[in-house]
Amino acid sequence: MARGGKSLILLTQGDPAGIGPEISLKAWLMRKEAGLPPFAILAEPGHLRHLAQSLSWDVPIAETDLSGATSVFNRALPVIPLNLDMGGPVRPGHPDAAHAPAIIASIEKAVRHVQAGEAAALVTNPIAKHVLYEAGFSHPGHTEFLASLAKEPGGTAPHPVMMLWSETLAVVPVTVHIPLKDVPQALTTDLIVTTGRLVARDLQARFGIAHPRLAVAGLNPHAGEHGALGAEDEAIVAPAIEILRKEGIAAEGPLPADTMFHARARKNYDAALAMYHDQALIPIKTIAFDEGVNVTLGLPFIRTSPDHGTAFDIAGKGIARPDSLIAAIKLAARLARGGQP
């Protein structure tokens, strides 16, 4: 729970030309049937009002500050105005680098509010990194930007860990957005240990799991087949698991990734550590494509996000499903309660 007992969940607008704004509107429309807690969005009220009208959705927009957001939530979508020029008209499906300052400002202001205890948790709508890069954005991605904003003056940025979570499976890629050919060089025992520690810590502190169980995938087919299919599993992965065990963390592996994700196997762990991006994301997007949530571990505040992108190809058509955003809002509120459902 945020300081001062605040329970409001704060959303960023994401890329205004993507589906973030419309799934936020739709989530508000579904607030009762989905059992959503009060949430507000940092955005330009005029853009959201125009979008709702263009879709013929009855979503009243209430311009408010954080202190008044909860009280208006049941009758209108609370919008915390950015008070910024959007840099030009917003055309759904047409990303524009002129929108970058507003996109970035929404994230920066939301982080400040959550860090100040004025909201319980942060839910970020999707952004398109290429749009921000055109405007001089210097961070590799959304998560790294959040880590930089979390840095204490004179300190170092925290090490963020990406978890993809659903009610049926939680996965963590140890290496993330790098080419597959670079994974063996990037994968180290220290990186696996650091990731495993953070996952175990946040599963305890935020998800309320007293004794987290980690399943650690091997890098190679059949976890290397005792070295016959690659030396990395014995030389890099197995030593990391041994270190985690000595620290009291229940870690098993290296396990063949092809047998880790069926229903019986999933009962034996709380989170799976995968060695590279697709090894983690293929199973969860197969099992829980619409309900998966991106959770950033290792930050001093709670951050969740829908497990999908901006979907410019369908933006503004009113057909984007809000399931993942709804799941992200509900999980953010759950984590703010210390993992209590």
Side-chain angles (χ1 to χ4, degrees), residues 242-263:
E242 185 62 26
I243 292 170
L244 292 171
R245 286 174 176 166
K246 287 180 178 178
E247 295 179 0
I249 296 171
E252 295 295 328
L255 302 171
D258 62 349
T259 57
M260 280 179 58
F261 300 107
H262 61 82

Side-chain angles (χ1 to χ4, degrees), residues 53-233:
Q53 291 171 349
S54 71
L55 294 168
S56 299
W57 290 351
D58 183 16
V59 183
I61 301 299
E63 297 183 37
T64 181
D65 58 16
L66 283 170
S67 64
T70 299
S71 64
V72 304
F73 179 73
N74 284 333
R75 60 176 175 81
L77 174 62
V79 180
I80 316 298
L82 287 173
N83 295 318
L84 283 175
D85 183 350
M86 290 294 287
V90 176
R91 298 169 58 208
H94 296 272
D96 189 337
H99 302 149
I103 297 170
I104 293 169
S106 180
I107 299 168
E108 290 175 334
K109 291 183 177 182
V111 168
R112 288 200 296 270
H113 287 309
V114 174
Q115 285 187 306
E118 296 166 344
L122 171 66
V123 176
T124 57
N125 268 306
I127 63 172
K129 293 189 288 291
H130 73 274
V131 173
L132 303 186
Y133 292 155
E134 290 179 33
F137 188 69
S138 61
H139 300 276
H142 210 157
T143 300
E144 292 83 1
F145 181 40
L146 290 167
S148 73
L149 294 174
K151 183 175 68 172
E152 296 289 340
T156 58
H159 178 83
V161 170
M162 181 174 75
M163 172 185 280
L164 285 303
W165 178 93
S166 72
E167 291 287 358
T168 53
L169 175 63
V171 293
V172 174
V174 175
T175 63
V176 191
H177 295 122
I178 60 174
L180 187 59
K181 66 181 178 60
D182 295 338
V183 169
Q185 290 72 41
L187 191 66
T188 66
T189 297
D190 285 346
L191 180 59
I192 298 170
V193 170
T194 298
T195 303
R197 284 173 182 154
L198 286 171
V199 173
R201 185 196 72 186
D202 278 14
L203 285 176
Q204 283 182 319
R206 292 191 170 160
F207 286 81
I209 300 173
H211 303 288
R213 302 164 300 163
L214 307 182
V216 184
L219 172 66
N220 297 295
H222 305 295
E225 199 76 67
H226 301 290
L229 297 177
E232 293 88 355
D233 294 295

